[in-house]
Amino acid sequence: MLADLVKLMRSGPVCILTGAGCSTESGIPDYRGPGSKPRNPIQHRDFVEKDATRRRYWARSAIGWPRMASAKPNAAHDAIARLESAGHLTGLITQNVDRLHHKAGSRDVLELHGALAEVRCLDCNVCESRDDLQARMLELNPNLRDLDVETAPDGDAELSSSIIHEFRVPSCLVCGGVLKPDVVFFGGSVPRERVLAAFAMLGRASALVVVGSSLTVFSGYRFVLRAKERGIPVAIVNRGETRGDPHATLRIDGRVGEVLPALAHAVC
Ligand SMILES: [Zn+2]
């Protein structure tokens, strides 16, 4: 019930954890939500070890990036930013890599899995913006500029194997090393200091509110376990079941783009 969530918000600042379901209404796919298709996510080890995996990734990414970069925050992102401005949050932990919380005006955002907006060199660790890399990729691959690509519904480009084969992958401007989007792929791990910073946000909170996450991945689920250890309530707003349901004090099965604005309206 929304009234219970309102009561929870009023009893002290909470820590919010968001997942893919928070961004689906912005046109960014949730592969684990109701009706979504399973697919093969990039594996960290494949990306680091295989030239072919990186070439395929960057070719698809070069085509899909404009759509990702132009995605707009939705009503749920806006409501969370309002809750923060009104002093209802100790912080926001997100599993999303789309940077939409920042675009909505949230300030204290911990990007648990990093962000696609940044690219890091695996050799010298220098950071480059994804927008700058996009310009370099189009310079190296001028045929992509006017390629008439059917973008798949998820925004990832489906490219023919010849385009992928010929794609020239840019390297680090500083050392010529291998570039990787600054996100945690499957099989990769969240840096320890980032987890500790997230635990600190949760440590100051009177409750954990999960928004739009099925909590399938342990990196998000661990915050539910932590909240339980600390004896603070866990509220979950998500369409469909989640792995955290057995531990939830309060559960709202609904669209985050409806529930969060209603919540913000009630408490702000
Ligand atoms: Zn480098």
Side-chain angles (χ1 to χ4, degrees):
M1 284 272 292
L2 183 66
D4 297 322
L5 187 56
V6 169
K7 202 171 148 197
L8 191 77
M9 275 327 265
R10 284 186 175 143
S11 65
V14 306
C15 177
I16 290 188
L17 169 69
T18 64
C22 192
S23 289
T24 43
E25 289 169 41
S26 292
I28 294 169
D30 171 9
Y31 298 121
R32 293 191 189 84
S36 64
K37 288 184 222 144
R39 42 179 290 154
N40 299 327
I42 296 271
Q43 299 292 325
H44 176 83
R45 204 171 157 176
D46 276 354
F47 188 94
V48 170
E49 291 178 355
K50 296 178 185 163
D51 281 346
T53 300
R54 290 196 296 272
R55 183 174 297 112
R56 181 171 157 273
Y57 174 85
W58 285 119
R60 291 166 57 95
S61 173
I63 298 295
W65 178 249
R67 177 170 163 157
M68 174 62 85
S70 64
K72 302 264 189 304
N74 62 54
H77 296 106
D78 292 341
I80 290 169
R82 283 210 303 286
L83 290 169
E84 183 185 21
S85 297
H88 289 293
L89 306 191
T90 62
L92 170 58
I93 304 167
T94 185
Q95 299 172 272
N96 299 337
V97 295
D98 51 38
R99 210 145 262 186
L100 289 178
H101 286 299
H102 293 83
K103 283 191 189 171
S106 285
R107 290 180 301 271
D108 200 1
V109 186
L110 193 142
E111 294 171 309
L112 198 59
H113 296 160
L116 288 172
E118 277 147 22
V119 176
R120 203 168 280 283
C121 175
L122 289 177
D123 298 292
C124 76
N125 208 38
V126 78
C127 187
E128 180 175 5
S129 90
R130 180 63 183 76
D131 283 331
D132 289 352
L133 184 71
Q134 182 72 6
R136 291 210 285 135
M137 286 201 284
L138 294 181
E139 254 170 55
L140 280 171
N141 301 277
N143 58 326
L144 291 188
R145 286 179 198 271
D146 37 40
L147 189 69
D148 183 22
V149 180
E150 282 290 309
T151 51
D154 61 8
D156 275 341
E158 294 300 334
L159 295 180
S160 73
S161 55
S162 70
I163 287 170
I164 292 173
H165 188 69
E166 286 162 19
F167 185 80
R168 296 179 63 202
V169 178
S171 45
C172 172
L173 284 172
V174 175
C175 77
V178 171
L179 295 176
K180 177 181 163 292
D182 198 14
V183 299
V184 177
F185 285 137
F186 280 78
S189 53
V190 178
R192 184 73 194 144
E193 64 274 19
R194 212 182 282 169
V195 176
L196 293 177
F199 278 156
M201 274 181 177
L202 184 58
R204 297 190 297 272
S206 62
L208 172 67
V209 179
V210 178
V211 176
S213 175
S214 58
L215 298 165
T216 312
V217 180
F218 181 74
S219 75
Y221 180 62
R222 72 176 122 204
F223 297 105
V224 172
L225 298 181
R226 185 73 165 204
K228 212 188 155 202
E229 254 172 46
R230 289 198 47 229
I232 61 171
V234 175
I236 300 179
V237 181
N238 190 59
R239 226 179 104 228
E241 291 180 359
T242 84
R243 185 183 179 186
D245 291 355
H247 306 300
T249 322
L250 167 56
R251 177 86 182 85
I252 297 182
D253 193 327
R255 276 185 48 212
V256 298
E258 284 171 6
V259 178
L260 271 293
L263 174 65
H265 182 74
V267 301
C268 293

Short mmCIF file of all heavy atoms in Angstrom, two decimals, residues 4 11 13 18 23 34 38-39 47 69 91 98 110 113 145 152-153 177 199 209 252-254 259:
data_model
loop_
_atom_site.label_atom_id
_atom_site.label_comp_id
_atom_site.label_asym_id
_atom_site.label_seq_id
_atom_site.Cartn_x
_atom_site.Cartn_y
_atom_site.Cartn_z
N ASP A 4 1.43 2.97 3.38
CA ASP A 4 2.48 2.41 4.24
C ASP A 4 3.86 2.92 3.84
O ASP A 4 4.71 3.18 4.69
CB ASP A 4 2.47 0.87 4.14
CG ASP A 4 1.15 0.29 4.64
OD1 ASP A 4 0.62 0.82 5.63
OD2 ASP A 4 0.67 -0.68 4.04
N SER A 11 9.17 8.44 8.49
CA SER A 11 9.80 8.05 9.76
C SER A 11 11.32 8.27 9.74
O SER A 11 11.99 8.02 10.72
CB SER A 11 9.45 6.59 10.09
OG SER A 11 10.03 5.74 9.12
N PRO A 13 15.04 9.47 6.95
CA PRO A 13 15.58 9.38 5.59
C PRO A 13 15.88 7.93 5.22
O PRO A 13 16.32 7.15 6.05
CB PRO A 13 16.85 10.22 5.65
CG PRO A 13 17.22 10.30 7.09
CD PRO A 13 15.95 10.16 7.88
N THR A 18 18.03 1.54 -6.95
CA THR A 18 17.27 1.39 -8.19
C THR A 18 17.92 0.37 -9.13
O THR A 18 19.13 0.17 -9.10
CB THR A 18 17.12 2.72 -8.96
OG1 THR A 18 18.40 3.19 -9.39
CG2 THR A 18 16.45 3.79 -8.11
N SER A 23 14.43 2.35 -15.41
CA SER A 23 14.76 2.99 -16.69
C SER A 23 13.97 2.47 -17.87
O SER A 23 14.07 3.02 -18.97
CB SER A 23 16.26 2.84 -16.98
OG SER A 23 17.02 3.64 -16.11
N PRO A 34 9.15 -8.54 -16.64
CA PRO A 34 8.12 -9.37 -17.24
C PRO A 34 8.12 -9.21 -18.76
O PRO A 34 8.18 -8.09 -19.26
CB PRO A 34 6.82 -8.81 -16.65
CG PRO A 34 7.22 -8.01 -15.48
CD PRO A 34 8.62 -7.54 -15.72
N PRO A 38 15.47 -13.35 -22.68
CA PRO A 38 16.85 -13.55 -22.22
C PRO A 38 17.80 -13.35 -23.39
O PRO A 38 17.44 -13.54 -24.53
CB PRO A 38 16.86 -15.01 -21.77
CG PRO A 38 15.76 -15.66 -22.52
CD PRO A 38 14.73 -14.60 -22.81
N ARG A 39 19.00 -12.90 -23.12
CA ARG A 39 19.99 -12.80 -24.19
C ARG A 39 21.37 -12.95 -23.57
O ARG A 39 21.49 -13.13 -22.37
CB ARG A 39 19.85 -11.49 -24.95
CG ARG A 39 19.61 -10.28 -24.07
CD ARG A 39 19.51 -9.04 -24.87
NE ARG A 39 20.80 -8.70 -25.42
CZ ARG A 39 20.95 -8.00 -26.54
NH1 ARG A 39 19.90 -7.62 -27.20
NH2 ARG A 39 22.15 -7.70 -26.96
N PHE A 47 35.49 -10.06 -22.75
CA PHE A 47 35.82 -8.71 -23.22
C PHE A 47 37.31 -8.43 -23.05
O PHE A 47 37.97 -7.90 -23.93
CB PHE A 47 35.00 -7.65 -22.46
CG PHE A 47 35.14 -6.27 -23.03
CD1 PHE A 47 34.24 -5.79 -23.96
CD2 PHE A 47 36.21 -5.46 -22.66
CE1 PHE A 47 34.39 -4.52 -24.51
CE2 PHE A 47 36.37 -4.19 -23.20
CZ PHE A 47 35.46 -3.72 -24.14
N ALA A 69 22.55 7.86 -25.45
CA ALA A 69 22.96 9.19 -24.98
C ALA A 69 21.79 10.18 -24.96
O ALA A 69 21.81 11.15 -24.22
CB ALA A 69 24.09 9.73 -25.86
N GLY A 91 20.87 8.77 0.44
CA GLY A 91 21.62 8.58 -0.80
C GLY A 91 20.88 7.64 -1.72
O GLY A 91 19.84 7.07 -1.36
N ASP A 98 23.08 4.10 -17.03
CA ASP A 98 22.60 5.03 -18.06
C ASP A 98 22.69 6.50 -17.67
O ASP A 98 22.41 7.38 -18.48
CB ASP A 98 21.15 4.70 -18.42
CG ASP A 98 20.25 4.60 -17.18
OD1 ASP A 98 20.43 5.40 -16.23
OD2 ASP A 98 19.38 3.71 -17.16
N LEU A 110 25.27 6.85 -6.21
CA LEU A 110 26.37 5.89 -6.27
C LEU A 110 26.08 4.89 -7.39
O LEU A 110 25.13 4.12 -7.31
CB LEU A 110 26.51 5.19 -4.92
CG LEU A 110 27.81 4.41 -4.79
CD1 LEU A 110 28.38 4.52 -3.40
CD2 LEU A 110 27.63 2.97 -5.19
N HIS A 113 27.44 -0.14 -10.66
CA HIS A 113 28.04 -0.85 -11.79
C HIS A 113 28.73 0.09 -12.78
O HIS A 113 28.94 -0.27 -13.94
CB HIS A 113 26.97 -1.68 -12.51
CG HIS A 113 26.40 -2.77 -11.65
ND1 HIS A 113 25.18 -3.36 -11.90
CD2 HIS A 113 26.87 -3.36 -10.53
CE1 HIS A 113 24.94 -4.27 -10.96
NE2 HIS A 113 25.95 -4.28 -10.12
N ARG A 145 28.98 6.41 -40.41
CA ARG A 145 28.25 7.67 -40.29
C ARG A 145 26.89 7.64 -40.98
O ARG A 145 25.91 8.12 -40.45
CB ARG A 145 29.04 8.83 -40.89
CG ARG A 145 30.21 9.28 -40.05
CD ARG A 145 30.94 10.40 -40.77
NE ARG A 145 32.28 10.60 -40.24
CZ ARG A 145 32.56 11.42 -39.23
NH1 ARG A 145 31.60 12.08 -38.65
NH2 ARG A 145 33.80 11.55 -38.81
N ALA A 152 17.67 -2.56 -33.28
CA ALA A 152 16.80 -3.52 -32.60
C ALA A 152 15.99 -2.77 -31.55
O ALA A 152 16.35 -1.66 -31.19
CB ALA A 152 17.65 -4.60 -31.96
N PRO A 153 14.87 -3.35 -31.10
CA PRO A 153 14.03 -2.65 -30.14
C PRO A 153 14.80 -2.21 -28.89
O PRO A 153 14.44 -1.25 -28.24
CB PRO A 153 12.97 -3.68 -29.76
CG PRO A 153 12.96 -4.65 -30.88
CD PRO A 153 14.34 -4.66 -31.46
N GLY A 177 46.63 1.46 -25.12
CA GLY A 177 46.10 0.24 -24.49
C GLY A 177 44.64 -0.03 -24.86
O GLY A 177 44.03 0.67 -25.66
N PHE A 199 27.32 0.79 1.44
CA PHE A 199 26.92 0.33 2.78
C PHE A 199 26.82 1.51 3.74
O PHE A 199 25.95 1.53 4.61
CB PHE A 199 27.93 -0.70 3.31
CG PHE A 199 27.70 -2.10 2.80
CD1 PHE A 199 28.75 -3.02 2.76
CD2 PHE A 199 26.45 -2.53 2.38
CE1 PHE A 199 28.56 -4.32 2.31
CE2 PHE A 199 26.24 -3.83 1.91
CZ PHE A 199 27.30 -4.72 1.87
N VAL A 209 14.66 1.30 0.40
CA VAL A 209 13.56 1.25 -0.56
C VAL A 209 14.11 0.84 -1.92
O VAL A 209 14.94 1.54 -2.51
CB VAL A 209 12.84 2.62 -0.67
CG1 VAL A 209 11.70 2.55 -1.69
CG2 VAL A 209 12.30 3.07 0.69
N ILE A 252 5.15 -3.20 -3.10
CA ILE A 252 4.15 -2.60 -3.99
C ILE A 252 4.43 -3.10 -5.40
O ILE A 252 5.49 -2.84 -5.97
CB ILE A 252 4.20 -1.05 -3.95
CG1 ILE A 252 3.85 -0.55 -2.55
CG2 ILE A 252 3.23 -0.45 -4.98
CD1 ILE A 252 3.83 0.96 -2.39
N ASP A 253 3.47 -3.86 -5.95
CA ASP A 253 3.62 -4.38 -7.30
C ASP A 253 2.97 -3.38 -8.25
O ASP A 253 1.75 -3.35 -8.39
CB ASP A 253 2.94 -5.76 -7.41
CG ASP A 253 3.35 -6.49 -8.69
OD1 ASP A 253 3.59 -5.82 -9.72
OD2 ASP A 253 3.42 -7.73 -8.66
N GLY A 254 3.79 -2.54 -8.84
CA GLY A 254 3.22 -1.51 -9.71
C GLY A 254 4.29 -0.84 -10.54
O GLY A 254 5.48 -1.14 -10.39
N VAL A 259 4.07 4.92 -9.08
CA VAL A 259 4.18 4.84 -7.63
C VAL A 259 5.09 5.94 -7.07
O VAL A 259 4.75 6.60 -6.09
CB VAL A 259 4.70 3.44 -7.19
CG1 VAL A 259 4.86 3.39 -5.68
CG2 VAL A 259 3.74 2.34 -7.68
#
